[in-house]
């Protein structure tokens, strides 16, 4: 048997054990005891012997009101936005898939899984787009804010990419931390689509991704979507939190934004690193004394951050996720003492 796809690498994530894990851009959501009990009760009585609702109607309706969409016809759900990225590559266009580099690695993986040609678009030193997509590019992914760089591409930069027979997917996984959205554009036009996720707002374990687009596009994606892709427990828990307790998410996000500002200002004054400004819940920084060595020193002190130094577009760079205040304090202390050791 000859494999259809060759030479693809598995999605990389940090699996090293550590006391403080600041490597996956999760958001800590402290659910009060009463909310946990309510969720536990709903799950205890859920008819788990049955298949889940293939259209996740109740959850979609809760999400449509939460996001103020005209109706649930404007969205579909995935097992995380990763699954939706794969469907988009499978069903929108046949030409080259483009994305800025560096960016979230799943765009390339999913494009290649679907035997699409790929075009990485180079960024300049301020992480602004400096290369145009090839003419045959009919699908473009733009993470806004971008991961791992943390910057927000200008709306004008994105609208300049519009062309006939081309779809632009705006991945707003980190929207809550910058609050600049292109959902309004996505509701009006068929060539701009928006992705959101519950993963960066405290519910990564549920695996719920959201695609927002006009009903015709949603129907197309639903036609390739696996029927029971969002599990019953995920539908139940997400519906309760989104419809009744979204203020808990808003509070956690506000705390994370303040923590990001606090960490950023500390880090800016440290010798041996260069910090890139961030609009997300993580910070990318260049290590002037060796990223691998610093990564190791931090681990020795119990802190795991994400090593991006092997990525050709982020040489000597590490990325730290914004954690809880206590975790951030431990990180800052570990960073300070590690740098003093290395400088
Ligand atoms: N988009 C971006 C830009 C991301 O950084 C990530 C996760 N790191 C995702 C999507 C994946 O989201 P999900 O957990 O919903 O699959």
């Amino acid at each position: 048997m000859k494999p259809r796809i060759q030479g693809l690498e598995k999605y990389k994530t940090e699996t090293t054990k550590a006391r403080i894990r600041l490597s996956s851009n999760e958001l800590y959501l402290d659910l009060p005891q009463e909310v946990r009990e309510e969720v536990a009760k709903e799950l205890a009585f859920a008819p788990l012997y049955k298949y889940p609702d293939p259209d996740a109607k109740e959850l979609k309706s809760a999400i449509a009101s939460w996001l103020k969409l005209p109706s649930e016809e404007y969205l579909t759900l995935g097992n995380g936005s990763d699954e939706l990225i794969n469907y988009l590559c499978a069903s929108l266009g046949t030409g080259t898939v483009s994305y800025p580099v560096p960016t979230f690695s799943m765009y390339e993986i999913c494009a290649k899984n679907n035997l699409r040609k790929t075009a990485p678009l180079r960024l300049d030193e301020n992480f602004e787009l400096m290369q145009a997509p090839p003419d045959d590019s009919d699908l473009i992914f733009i993470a806004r804010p971008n991961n791992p760089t943390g910057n927000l591409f200008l709306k004008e930069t994105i609208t300049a990419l519009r062309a006939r027979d081309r779809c632009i997917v705006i991945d707003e996984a980190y929207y809550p931390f910058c609050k600049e959205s292109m959902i309004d554009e996505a509701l009006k036009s068929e060539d701009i689509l928006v992705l959101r996720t519950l993963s960066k707002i405290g519910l990564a374990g549920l695996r719920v991704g959201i695609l927002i687009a006009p009903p015709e596009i949603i129907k197309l994606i639903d036609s390739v979507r696996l029927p029971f892709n969002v599990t019953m427990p995920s539908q139940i828990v997400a519906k309760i939190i989104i419809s009744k307790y979204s203020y808990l998410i808003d509070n956690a996000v506000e705390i994370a934004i303040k923590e990001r500002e606090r960490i950023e200002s500390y880090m800016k004054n440290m010798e041996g690193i260069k910090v890139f400004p961030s609009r997300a819940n993580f910070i990318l920084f260049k290590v002037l004394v060796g990223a691998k060595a610093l990564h190791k020193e931090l681990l020795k002190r119990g802190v795991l951050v994400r090593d991006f130094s092997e990525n050709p577009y982020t040489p000597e760079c590490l990325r730290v996720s914004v954690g809880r205040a206590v975790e951030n304090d431990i990180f800052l202390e570990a960073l300070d003492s590690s740098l003093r050791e290395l400088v």
Side-chain angles (χ1 to χ4, degrees), residues 274-290:
K274 175 182 185 287
V275 179
F276 299 103
S278 168
R279 302 288 305 272
N281 68 336
F282 54 80
I283 295 171
L284 185 76
F285 57 104
K286 192 164 189 138
V287 187
L288 313 173
V289 289

Side-chain angles (χ1 to χ4, degrees), residues 91-221:
S91 49
L92 293 184
T94 53
T96 300
V97 177
S98 307
Y99 40 82
V101 280
T103 195
F104 181 46
S105 60
M106 287 307 289
Y107 310 139
E108 181 185 358
I109 295 175
C110 293
K112 290 186 172 166
N113 274 344
N114 288 285
L115 303 181
R116 302 281 293 259
K117 275 196 287 177
T118 55
L121 311 174
R122 291 301 302 268
L123 302 181
D124 66 17
E125 69 281 2
N126 297 317
F127 301 134
E128 283 302 331
L129 206 54
M130 64 170 192
Q131 199 181 351
D135 289 341
D136 79 331
S137 183
D138 47 14
L139 183 58
I140 303 179
F141 286 96
I142 305 276
R144 196 169 183 264
N146 191 31
N147 175 17
T149 55
N151 64 305
L152 193 73
F153 296 113
L154 295 172
K155 249 191 203 180
E156 300 83 80
T157 310
I158 294 164
T159 40
L161 298 172
R162 291 174 92 166
R164 250 177 80 98
D165 299 324
R166 171 181 284 173
C167 269
I168 306 175
V169 180
I170 313 297
D171 183 344
E172 297 188 351
Y174 301 100
Y175 155 81
F177 310 99
C178 77
K179 300 193 172 58
E180 284 192 36
S181 176
M182 290 189 70
I183 284 191
D184 285 347
E185 283 81 352
L187 294 177
K188 284 192 297 232
S189 46
E190 284 192 14
D191 66 331
I192 293 192
L193 284 57
V194 166
L195 279 173
R196 290 277 182 93
T197 178
L198 302 192
S199 297
K200 310 300 171 189
I201 50 174
L203 299 168
L206 297 181
R207 307 299 299 130
V208 176
I210 307 160
L211 175 70
I212 298 143
E216 297 69 38
I217 302 271
I218 296 297
K219 276 191 202 130
L220 185 71
I221 300 301

Side-chain angles (χ1 to χ4, degrees), residues 20-120:
I20 311 278
R21 296 179 59 87
L22 298 175
S23 54
S24 300
N25 302 341
E26 293 144 345
L27 176 78
Y28 180 71
L29 183 62
D30 191 9
L31 294 178
Q33 186 62 21
E34 319 83 78
V35 179
R36 287 177 187 278
E37 278 167 16
E38 182 178 344
V39 166
K41 207 162 141 196
E42 286 282 335
L43 285 176
F45 291 102
L48 293 179
Y49 70 95
K50 287 187 183 170
Y51 281 102
D53 174 3
D55 294 316
K57 284 187 280 305
E58 291 187 20
L59 176 56
K60 280 203 318 196
S61 155
I63 292 177
S65 349
W66 175 56
L67 296 179
K68 303 189 176 62
L69 304 180
S71 79
E72 356 4 329
E73 286 173 28
Y74 287 77
L75 76 132
T76 191
L77 303 179
N79 195 287
S81 33
D82 292 346
E83 189 190 25
L84 294 167
I85 294 167
N86 207 35
Y87 293 151
L88 291 165
C89 290
S91 49
L92 293 184
T94 53
T96 300
V97 177
S98 307
Y99 40 82
V101 280
T103 195
F104 181 46
S105 60
M106 287 307 289
Y107 310 139
E108 181 185 358
I109 295 175
C110 293
K112 290 186 172 166
N113 274 344
N114 288 285
L115 303 181
R116 302 281 293 259
K117 275 196 287 177
T118 55

